[in-house]
Amino acid sequence: MADPGGLPAVCHCLLVETDADGLVLVDTGLGTADLRRPDQALGADWVAHAQPVLDPRESALHQLVRLGYDPRDVRHIVLTHLHRDHTGGLADFPHARVHVHPDEYRAVTDPSAAYHRHSLDRFMPAHRAHGPRLTPATTDGPANWFGFPGVARPQKLGHELLLVPLPGHSAGHAGVAVRDDHGRWLLHAGDAYMYHGELEHTPALGHPLLEPVQQDAQTDAAARAATRDRLRDLVRDHPDEVTVFSAHDPWEYARLARPAGVNGRTRGGR
């Protein structure tokens, strides 16, 4: 999908190198099986609307290999939520433990949960057919993060990484917060917003192509708007402590897609 000026949207992944936990992948983008059989894996209607680039070199798996890593070293995957453009690469790392916020886990596993059918319909069968090691994060972490309550910590992951609830887009949508070597936080905000104008302008400035996507996917419009406003306050009040970025904004990607230090190294990928 491109903006009126022709700049394509991205699907942002973050790779974190850790000393004790191997490689941690935050979101996975589309996977290699998606790119071989997009209509079957992703849904023909979605493919026709989103018009993804069907290039295996864009997959997280191929980008890891190109950087010189062994994909088997990806021990953990942390997901902002379970929509198809974030989970496609799960099958490329079948050995990895897959962490989600407990509210997102409950939404896809508990038939009595609110938005269960909505959530399960968007967690594509092709992305869960291999039986991913889906694991709910625990709420034994900090009570809140910069005033955001309900923070969860991935199980069996020693590196300081948190799942911060950013509700509205999905039933258990969460940002992934990672602390860098300088004490700053990076917050991968997933689809809590999709365009930087939503945070940089008051009132929020949505993107004419991305805003309908948000409205179609969201579970709670009021919660999504409240999350967006809280993120705007976070960016305004803590500019030297937190860097926030979303999953699909290509302008943010252009600004931030360069090596930075999280336990020495992080890398962004499309």
Side-chain angles (χ1 to χ4, degrees), residues 27-215:
D27 280 355
T28 70
L30 301 183
T32 56
D34 297 330
L35 303 175
R36 290 193 301 268
R37 301 182 300 276
D39 287 356
Q40 295 90 332
L42 300 167
D45 290 344
W46 186 87
V47 171
H49 177 72
Q51 300 179 34
V53 175
L54 302 176
D55 183 350
R57 293 173 297 180
E58 293 283 334
S59 68
L61 177 68
H62 282 258
Q63 292 194 56
L64 277 166
V65 172
R66 195 159 60 245
L67 289 168
Y69 298 115
D70 186 334
R72 291 172 295 182
D73 288 337
V74 177
R75 301 183 200 168
H76 299 272
I77 295 172
V78 185
L79 297 176
T80 58
H81 61 301
L82 291 165
H83 288 179
R84 72 194 84 195
D85 49 332
H86 300 259
T87 60
L90 291 180
D92 290 329
F93 308 96
H95 55 282
R97 185 177 295 275
V98 181
H99 305 271
V100 294
H101 192 274
D103 291 342
E104 190 79 351
Y105 180 85
R106 189 177 309 114
V108 298
T109 60
D110 183 355
S112 68
Y115 306 111
H116 172 68
R117 178 45 55 189
H118 181 279
S119 302
L120 201 59
D121 285 348
R122 284 158 175 76
F123 187 17
M124 303 303 290
H127 297 170
R128 47 188 165 93
H130 67 287
R133 299 169 63 194
L134 200 63
T135 306
T138 64
T139 54
D140 60 355
N144 66 73
W145 181 83
F146 291 95
F148 287 77
V151 174
R153 192 188 302 277
Q155 299 181 40
K156 302 183 184 299
L157 182 61
H159 187 73
E160 188 167 17
L161 186 151
L162 303 172
L163 280 157
V164 180
L166 301 176
H169 181 74
S170 74
H173 185 276
V176 180
V178 187
R179 193 191 291 273
D180 70 17
D181 287 340
H182 307 290
R184 286 181 53 89
W185 288 94
L186 301 175
L187 178 66
H188 188 317
D191 290 2
Y193 70 100
M194 291 187 177
Y195 178 58
H196 58 278
E198 297 180 62
L199 300 192
E200 295 176 3
H201 294 268
T202 305
L205 177 64
H207 191 283
L209 293 181
L210 294 174
E211 188 62 24
V213 176
Q214 276 280 37
Q215 292 174 6

